[in-house]
């Protein structure tokens, strides 16, 4: 029967409300613990196992760590219940198979609210072991001696009753201890009155052990008993007494044999990294009881395998704790050091389905979920899988319901300040400062975190990285990121903590974070695109949210567009902007997003977005020029050449950074109109900045002069690679492959492969389509599905709005039909080309199609060819004839 959620039950007068305390999932954690416990049982039942071996590595502990509110304590309690009673085990958890082994769980809450101390921990373990039904004399004598020395006049029985331990575990311990004392006194032939004095009994026992008398041969098997009984009975000695428990457990008869499972919860609350006194005592407990199994739950990984802790703890390093090491440990001392024996597990977030299941079962009415599906969806999405958020949302649901109105989904677009307090509770002041500082970043590294916090040393950032709400992606640019809900809550919730930041504090921190990104970007390589894009993404978001001047973002934006790679920036619109740009950063976000998205949007949409950015008036003149130039490019691609020319002329006249690009654009517009002499003359004045070689290649290939065109495109690629412009190199190679695909050049396959390789590193839709058209041209005239592939490609191109690429594809299809002497096919392609070029631009494609099929022109050509028209005609016709001859003389070189 599920337990009732008392907090929910006492939040309403509705007695029909069901308030089951839901427990969801965690099968992986259960399986992890059971597998480790199964291995532990096998190990301690091996005849070679020696509980007094103090040098063997330990593998008797598993650790579950995670952020506050993730459900670690609930998991610990469920483990205890499942080990104690199989009927309490969740249905989805598999049944362990231990072949009759008796598991004895004892859970110890180390939270400050539970007032833990090491005496209570040791007493709890011993009280639980009272269930075996017999004294454990070696330990019991030592404990009795310790207690009477440390607590004179306070009988142990009264202490157990007063502290509630007797009620929890029963009252068998005092009787068992008294029985052990009497048995030893009788064995030593001490008088009854003397036998009640623990000091005299232990003194006599130590003497008998030292003299190796036969009367105490049972206890003589414990080699270190005499030393422990002679030591000063203080807290330090008490921490070594668990060794006696381990020895006693190992010599229990088979019918009494148990495997203690000791669950230590809230481990993070026993101290801090500077003072590990309590942790040292607990570690001794774990080390000295190798036949007990420990399940530790806390917020952080257990660092006992870190050799840097040597001196703070007794047993450290990966050799001592192979399962707790972060990496595999070679040359292990025991079988438990085998690689991959991880004993620490992050308690992760719930899946969305688990969140929904939790909320559906938590509150019910008439056996149906009280929280409807739409509200559960909002809560589940905002929770990012954190159970504490779900719990707080349930309480908010009841609070709203108590007010007399039905809760709505919009009521749960809500931050809970309690999450901040829970997250910050065990952080030092410098760690809290770093935590707030890194909320500006979607990802970060130690240096970025330190500089954003304005701290002179990295220590607080390094300590923060150990926290479970900091996640790691080892191969990312910046390897660390905050749990999404924790980051959003700290940034957005009403912080009520004593050291909360004021709005001015947040503004100053934003400036520091912005400057830290600039420093990283300027300190990197000029060709490090990953760093550039990462700094842009994060810097734009900070500048937008805190209304900062663009500063270094202007230069970074120019670097971003300069290579034509167009990685997606994935920047959501500012919530405050409500669809319109409010700051220069908003406008720059929209500008760069439009440029990146134009590879995936129709060019008409790109033009609209760029026009809207230019009209805001928020950008400085040089960035506004960027919007005008790329809008003019989009207009050219759409066939709106008059508008495109106006934009290009405006940018060229301005003499800014894009003036050479605009002059190239004007040269390309001349080429589109068929004015080839003007285009080739302009290309000679463009230089590298105007991509002169590529313009020459674009003019030469339509003349049918494929040799010169391929040379020009090859030179353009080489020049781009020399300048480190991978986008320009990919575009030039795509056109080189397209050009050579018309010919019988044997290197065509390699050129296409190289084009695909270069394009795989960038995001250039038009150039990618050029390479795919080149593959069709390579196979033109064959029966390898050219037309089927062309139809698929035509459908993709039509959605892009790239008019000039559509015309290229129709020209390639005309080439295919001309090779096959398919006059009907050629005629249809000519008709399509006329339709696509009806504005007069690219009209020479119609002429070229006629030349390929050796057809007379219907109307005189308006193109101004570089050579005589008959020469151009003969070049194009020769390529068709050469391809026919190639296909007739041998097997087709194309591939399907």
């Amino acid at each position: 029967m599920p337990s009732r959620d008392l907090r929910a039950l006492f939040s309403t007068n509705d007695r029909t409300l069901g308030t089951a305390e839901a427990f969801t999932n965690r099968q992986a954690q259960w399986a992890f613990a059971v597998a480790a416990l199964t291995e532990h049982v096998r190990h301690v039942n091996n005849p070679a196992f020696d509980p007094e071996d103090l040098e063997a590595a330990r593998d008797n502990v598993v650790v579950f760590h995670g952020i506050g509110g993730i459900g670690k304590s609930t998991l610990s309690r469920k483990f205890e219940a499942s080990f104690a009673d199989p009927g309490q085990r969740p249905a989805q958890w598999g049944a362990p198979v231990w072949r009759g082994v008796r598991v004895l769980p004892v859970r110890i809450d180390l939270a400050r609210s539970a007032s833990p101390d090491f005496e209570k921990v040791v007493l709890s373990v011993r009280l639980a072991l009272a269930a075996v039904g017999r004294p454990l004399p070696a330990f019991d004598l030592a404990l009795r001696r310790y207690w009477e020395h440390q607590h004179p006049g306070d009988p142990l029985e009264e202490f157990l009753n007063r502290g509630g331990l007797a009620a929890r575990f029963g009252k068998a311990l005092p009787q068992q201890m008294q029985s052990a004392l009497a048995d030893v006194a009788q064995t030593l032939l001490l008088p009854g009155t003397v036998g009640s004095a623990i000091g005299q009994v232990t003194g006599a026992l130590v003497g008998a052990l030292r003299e190796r008398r036969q009367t105490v041969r049972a206890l003589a098997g414990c080699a270190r008993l005499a030393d422990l009984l002679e030591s000063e009975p203080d807290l330090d000695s008490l921490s070594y007494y668990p060794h006696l428990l381990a020895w006693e457990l190992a010599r229990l008869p088979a019918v009494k044999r148990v495997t203690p499972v000791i669950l230590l919860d809230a481990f993070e609350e026993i101290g801090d990294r500077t003072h590990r006194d309590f942790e040292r005592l607990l570690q001794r407990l774990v080390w000295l009881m190798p036949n007990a199994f420990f399940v530790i739950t806390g917020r952080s990984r257990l660092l006992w395998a870190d050799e840097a802790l040597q001196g703070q703890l007794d047993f450290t390093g990966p050799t001592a704790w192979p399962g707790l090491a972060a990496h595999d440990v070679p040359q292990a001392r025991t079988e438990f050091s085998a690689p991959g024996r991880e004993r620490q597990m992050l308690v992760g977030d719930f899946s969305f389905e688990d969140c929904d299941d939790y909320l559906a079962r938590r509150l019910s009415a008439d056996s149906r979920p009280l929280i409807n599906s739409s509200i559960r969806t909002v809560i589940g999405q905002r929770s990012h899988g954190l159970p504490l958020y779900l719990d707080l949302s349930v309480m908010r649901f009841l609070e709203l319901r108590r007010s007399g109105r039905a809760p709505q989904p919009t009521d749960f677009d809500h931050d809970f300040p309690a999450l901040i307090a829970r997250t910050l509770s065990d952080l030092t002041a410098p760690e809290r400062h770093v935590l707030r500082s890194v909320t500006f970043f979607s990802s970060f590294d130690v240096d970025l975190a330190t500089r954003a916090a304005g701290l002179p040393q990295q220590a607080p950032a390094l300590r923060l990285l150990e926290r479970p709400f900091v996640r790691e992606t080892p191969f990312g640019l910046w390897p660390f990121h905050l749990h999404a809900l924790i980051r959003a809550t700290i940034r957005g919730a009403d912080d009520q903590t004593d050291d909360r930041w004021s709005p001015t504090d947040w503004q100053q921190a934003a400036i520091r974070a912005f400057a830290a990104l600039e420093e990283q970007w300027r300190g990197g390589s000029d060709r490090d695109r990953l760093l550039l894009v990462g700094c842009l993404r994060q810097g734009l978001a900070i500048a937008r949210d805190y209304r900062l001047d663009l500063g270094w973002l202007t230069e970074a934006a120019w670097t971003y567009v300069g290579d034509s790679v167009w990685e997606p920036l994935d920047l959501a619109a500012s919530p405050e902007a409500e669809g319109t740009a409010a700051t220069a950063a908003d406008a720059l976000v929209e500008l760069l997003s439009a440029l990146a998205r134009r590879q995936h949007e129709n060019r008409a949409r790109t033009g609209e977005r760029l026009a809207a950015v230019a009209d805001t008036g928020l950008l400085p003149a040089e960035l506004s020029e960027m919007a005008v130039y790329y809008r003019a490019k989009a207009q050219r691609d759409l066939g709106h050449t008059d508008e495109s020319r106006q934009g290009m002329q405006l940018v060229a006249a301005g003499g800014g950074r894009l003036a050479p690009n605009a002059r190239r654009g004007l040269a390309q517009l001349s080429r589109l109109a068929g004015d080839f002499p003007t285009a080739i003359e302009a290309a000679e004045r463009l230089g590298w900045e105007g991509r002169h070689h590529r313009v020459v290649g674009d003019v030469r290939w339509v003349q049918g002069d494929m040799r010169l065109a391929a040379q020009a495109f090859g030179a353009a690629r080489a020049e781009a690679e020399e300048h480190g412009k991978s986008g320009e190199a990919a575009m030039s190679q795509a056109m080189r492959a397209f050009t050579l695909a018309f010919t019988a050049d044997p290197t065509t396959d390699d050129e296409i492969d190289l084009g695909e390789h270069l394009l795989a590193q960038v995001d250039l839709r038009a150039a990618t389509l050029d390479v795919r058209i080149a593959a069709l041209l390579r196979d033109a005239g064959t029966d390898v599905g050219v037309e089927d592939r062309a139809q698929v490609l035509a459908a993709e191109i039509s959605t892009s709005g790239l008019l000039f690429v559509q015309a290229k594809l129709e020209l390639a299809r005309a080439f295919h039909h001309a090779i096959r002497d398919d006059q009907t096919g050629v005629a249809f392609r000519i008709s399509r080309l006329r339709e696509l070029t009806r504005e007069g631009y690219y009209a020479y494609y119609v002429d070229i199609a006629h030349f390929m099929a050796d057809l007379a022109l219907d109307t005189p050509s308006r193109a101004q060819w570089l050579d005589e028209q008959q020469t151009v005609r003969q070049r194009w016709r020769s390529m068709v004839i050469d391809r026919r001859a190639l296909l007739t003389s041998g097997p087709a070189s194309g591939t399907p």
Side-chain angles (χ1 to χ4, degrees):
M1 178 178 178
S3 59
R4 302 298 298 274
D5 179 357
L6 295 180
R7 189 152 60 105
L9 184 66
F10 281 86
S11 297
T12 178
N13 292 329
D14 186 352
R15 297 183 181 181
T16 66
L17 181 68
T19 58
E21 188 175 38
F23 183 80
T24 301
N25 205 321
R26 304 308 189 198
Q27 294 101 313
Q29 286 76 16
W30 170 254
F32 185 80
V34 167
L37 179 53
T38 301
E39 185 64 24
H40 170 78
V41 168
R42 185 193 65 80
H43 175 63
V44 299
N45 287 332
N46 189 314
F49 171 74
D50 181 5
E52 294 190 282
D53 185 348
L54 299 182
E55 297 182 359
R58 296 299 195 256
D59 201 42
N60 60 329
V61 58
V62 294
V63 180
F64 295 96
H65 59 101
I67 63 177
I70 201 67
K72 302 179 297 298
S73 294
T74 301
L75 182 67
S76 179
R77 288 192 296 268
K78 189 60 65 172
F79 276 162
E80 179 188 31
S82 299
F83 286 132
D85 179 6
Q88 295 293 315
R89 189 177 65 245
Q92 66 268 35
W93 286 6
V97 180
W98 290 315
R99 296 186 177 86
V101 173
R102 182 184 174 192
V103 173
L104 183 65
V106 52
R107 181 175 174 273
I108 301 171
D109 188 353
L110 299 174
R112 285 188 288 269
S113 59
S115 302
D117 60 50
F118 189 67
E119 282 185 354
K120 286 185 178 179
V121 171
V122 173
L123 286 172
S124 295
V125 174
R126 177 59 186 91
L127 282 163
L129 291 174
V132 301
R134 57 178 288 169
L136 305 175
F139 176 84
D140 290 349
L141 287 173
L143 178 62
R144 179 68 176 268
R145 176 171 175 265
Y146 166 86
W147 192 264
E148 293 196 1
H149 187 275
Q150 292 292 328
H151 301 275
D154 184 11
L156 179 59
E157 185 173 4
E158 292 185 12
F159 175 83
L160 296 177
N161 289 328
R162 188 170 63 246
L165 292 176
R168 180 182 175 192
F169 294 102
K171 301 182 178 182
L173 177 59
Q175 290 86 347
Q176 290 181 3
M177 293 181 69
Q178 188 61 37
S179 175
L181 182 63
D183 289 345
V184 172
Q186 184 178 359
T187 299
L188 296 172
L189 302 178
L190 297 175
T193 54
V194 175
S196 62
I198 184 64
Q200 296 183 40
V201 173
T202 54
L205 177 59
V206 169
L209 291 171
R210 297 293 189 200
E211 296 169 6
R212 300 182 180 181
R213 298 179 198 167
Q214 281 293 107
T215 55
V216 292
R217 64 180 180 277
L219 292 175
C222 185
R224 298 174 179 88
L225 175 57
D227 296 296
L228 288 173
L229 291 177
E230 284 183 320
S231 66
E232 181 69 18
D234 53 18
L235 188 64
D236 192 61
S237 293
L238 178 66
S239 68
Y240 289 99
Y241 292 175
H243 171 74
L244 303 177
L245 274 181
W247 180 78
E248 293 280 14
L249 286 171
R251 73 189 193 107
L252 287 174
V255 69
K256 296 285 188 178
R257 190 72 53 88
V258 296
T259 298
V261 175
I262 302 170
L263 302 107
L264 302 176
D265 187 32
F267 201 81
E268 73 277 359
E269 298 207 38
I270 63 171
D272 56 40
R273 296 176 179 84
T274 304
H275 304 95
R276 296 181 179 269
D277 297 337
F278 197 174
E279 185 177 1
R280 181 187 300 110
L281 299 176
L282 290 178
Q283 193 202 52
R284 286 178 189 164
L285 172 71
V286 178
W287 185 271
L288 296 175
M289 293 190 70
N291 44 3
F293 186 76
F294 292 82
V295 179
I296 294 178
T297 45
R299 293 194 180 183
S300 302
R301 287 181 62 93
L302 207 56
L303 301 180
W304 295 350
D306 187 350
E307 292 179 335
L309 293 182
Q310 187 172 9
Q312 296 187 63
L313 300 175
D314 293 348
F315 312 99
T316 58
T319 303
W321 306 96
L324 303 182
H327 304 285
D328 294 341
V329 183
Q331 298 179 345
R333 296 177 63 180
T334 74
E335 59 176 326
F336 285 101
S337 300
R341 301 198 63 82
E342 176 67 31
R343 287 290 184 262
Q344 307 212 55
M345 187 180 205
L346 178 69
V347 181
D349 305 325
F350 282 173
S351 67
F352 178 79
E353 292 75 15
D354 288 338
C355 292
D356 189 73
D357 178 66
Y358 177 96
L359 294 169
R361 291 191 289 117
R362 183 68 182 277
L363 300 176
S364 62
D366 298 326
S367 301
R368 293 192 299 179
L370 187 64
I371 305 176
N372 65 47
S373 61
S374 58
I375 294 178
R376 296 202 304 268
T377 297
V378 172
I379 297 173
Q381 290 173 342
R382 280 191 61 85
S383 74
H384 292 278
L386 185 66
L388 177 58
Y389 187 92
L390 303 179
D391 184 54
L392 293 171
S393 296
V394 169
M395 294 301 107
R396 178 171 175 77
F397 182 92
L398 291 172
E399 178 185 350
L400 293 169
R401 190 168 178 264
R402 194 164 57 243
S403 69
R405 69 179 183 87
Q408 300 299 316
T410 53
D411 293 323
F412 295 89
D413 186 12
H414 185 76
D415 292 314
F416 292 105
L419 282 173
I420 300 179
R422 188 74 170 265
T423 302
L424 301 181
S425 62
D426 64 331
L427 300 183
T428 63
E431 288 172 348
R432 293 196 294 272
H433 182 75
V434 175
L435 174 60
R436 290 188 171 100
S437 298
V438 297
T439 60
F440 291 101
F441 304 124
S442 57
S443 58
F444 59 93
D445 59 15
V446 173
D447 185 60
L448 199 59
T450 302
R451 294 184 183 280
L455 296 178
Q457 66 280 121
Q458 294 184 341
L462 289 169
R463 291 197 300 270
L464 186 71
L465 298 184
E466 299 172 8
R467 301 296 182 168
F469 51 75
V470 178
R471 307 294 169 81
E472 183 175 6
T473 307
F475 303 107
L477 171 62
W478 293 296
F480 304 105
H481 65 276
L482 293 178
H483 184 282
L485 179 62
I486 299 301
R487 182 186 179 216
T489 302
I490 291 176
R491 288 284 300 276
D494 185 12
D495 189 345
Q496 297 297 316
T497 56
D498 291 341
D499 61 348
R500 59 186 177 274
W501 281 2
S502 69
T504 300
D505 293 331
W506 279 105
Q507 187 69 23
Q508 292 174 346
I511 294 171
R512 289 196 305 269
F514 190 68
L517 285 169
E518 177 186 11
E519 188 173 349
Q520 284 221 355
W521 174 56
R522 295 195 185 281
S525 167
D526 291 340
R527 298 184 179 183
D528 190 341
R529 294 287 300 185
L530 188 64
L531 178 62
L532 166 68
V533 173
C535 289
L536 260 178
R537 285 173 180 158
Q538 304 218 70
L540 281 167
I542 295 172
R544 180 193 62 196
D545 295 344
Y546 289 86
R547 296 178 176 268
L548 304 182
D549 292 336
L550 292 181
W552 60 272
L553 289 174
T554 298
E555 188 65 31
W558 281 110
T559 305
Y560 172 74
V561 303
D563 196 18
S564 302
V565 177
W566 310 121
E567 303 94 329
L569 291 173
D570 299 328
L571 285 168
S574 170
E576 298 180 359
E578 296 183 354
T580 59
T583 67
D586 281 322
L588 184 54
V589 166
E590 176 62 10
L591 170 60
L592 297 182
S593 297
L595 295 181
R597 284 296 305 165
R598 73 195 184 105
Q599 305 302 327
H600 307 281
E601 290 180 339
N602 190 286
R603 284 294 195 267
R605 172 60 181 152
T606 300
E608 292 171 0
R609 294 180 67 181
L610 293 175
V613 169
D615 290 344
T616 63
L618 294 169
L619 290 174
E622 58 180 327
L623 290 176
S624 183
E625 171 191 281
M626 185 188 294
V628 173
Y629 169 73
Y630 281 100
R631 182 191 181 194
K633 284 193 68 174
Q635 291 167 332
R636 184 194 68 195
D637 295 343
L638 292 165
H640 304 160
T641 49
D642 290 339
E643 295 92 331
S644 178
R645 180 177 285 104
Q646 292 174 8
M648 293 293 184
Q649 289 172 339
L650 181 63
V651 175
R657 300 195 199 204
L658 289 173
N661 303 64
R663 288 192 288 271
R664 180 180 77 243
L666 291 170
Q668 295 286 31
L669 286 169
S670 296
R671 175 180 64 84
L672 269 56
D675 186 359
F676 302 124
T678 298
I680 205 75
E681 181 183 354
E684 295 174 355
R685 299 191 299 270
L686 291 175
W688 152 248
E689 290 185 343
R691 310 302 193 252
H692 56 147
H693 287 308
R694 182 150 61 87
V695 176
V696 170
D698 284 334
V699 174
R700 285 292 177 185
W701 80 262
V702 295
Q703 315 300 311
D705 194 344
M706 301 309 184
R707 181 182 63 82
L708 288 180
Q711 287 179 357
F713 288 128
R717 184 198 69 213
E719 199 168 35
E721 291 173 338
E722 180 182 343
H723 286 84
K725 302 296 184 182
S726 55
E728 177 64 26
M731 285 188 284
S732 300
Q733 178 58 33
M735 282 306 300
R736 177 175 168 83
F738 173 85
T739 297
L740 290 174
F742 280 103
T743 72
D745 193 303
T747 67
T748 300
D749 283 347
D750 293 337
E751 299 292 346
I752 291 174
D753 289 344
L754 178 57
E756 292 173 342
H757 172 71
L758 295 179
L759 285 166
Q761 305 169 47
V762 295
D763 189 7
L764 296 167
R765 181 193 284 191
T768 300
L769 295 171
D770 284 340
V771 171
R772 293 177 64 184
I773 295 172
L776 290 177
L777 288 168
R778 175 195 59 196
D779 300 335
T782 68
D783 295 317
V784 291
V786 172
E787 266 305 302
D788 291 339
R789 291 153 59 197
Q791 288 176 13
V792 172
L793 193 53
E796 295 182 29
I797 295 172
S798 67
T799 64
S800 68
L802 296 173
L803 183 66
F804 72 99
V805 180
Q806 287 181 306
K808 275 184 183 177
L809 176 61
E810 293 302 326
L811 190 65
R813 297 171 84 172
F815 183 63
H816 171 67
H817 293 308
I819 295 169
R820 298 171 71 88
D821 200 19
D822 178 0
Q823 295 301 317
T824 301
V826 170
F828 183 75
R829 296 306 153 200
I830 290 175
S831 173
R832 282 284 296 136
L833 284 168
R834 280 200 180 98
E835 182 182 346
L836 291 169
T837 61
R838 62 180 178 270
E839 301 295 332
Y841 289 87
Y842 296 107
Y844 49 84
Y845 281 4
V846 176
D847 300 345
I848 293 173
H850 281 83
F851 297 162
M852 290 174 177
D854 199 22
L855 298 173
L857 296 177
D858 299 331
T859 58
S861 173
R862 290 181 292 175
Q864 301 175 48
W865 304 99
L866 296 180
D867 301 300
E868 293 294 331
Q869 180 176 304
Q870 185 59 36
T871 302
V872 176
R873 170 185 284 271
Q874 185 57 45
R875 288 175 184 149
W876 282 107
R877 181 60 181 170
S878 295
M879 282 186 273
V880 171
I881 294 172
D882 291 346
R883 181 66 65 88
R884 283 180 185 169
L886 180 64
L887 295 174
T888 302
S889 63
S893 61
T895 57

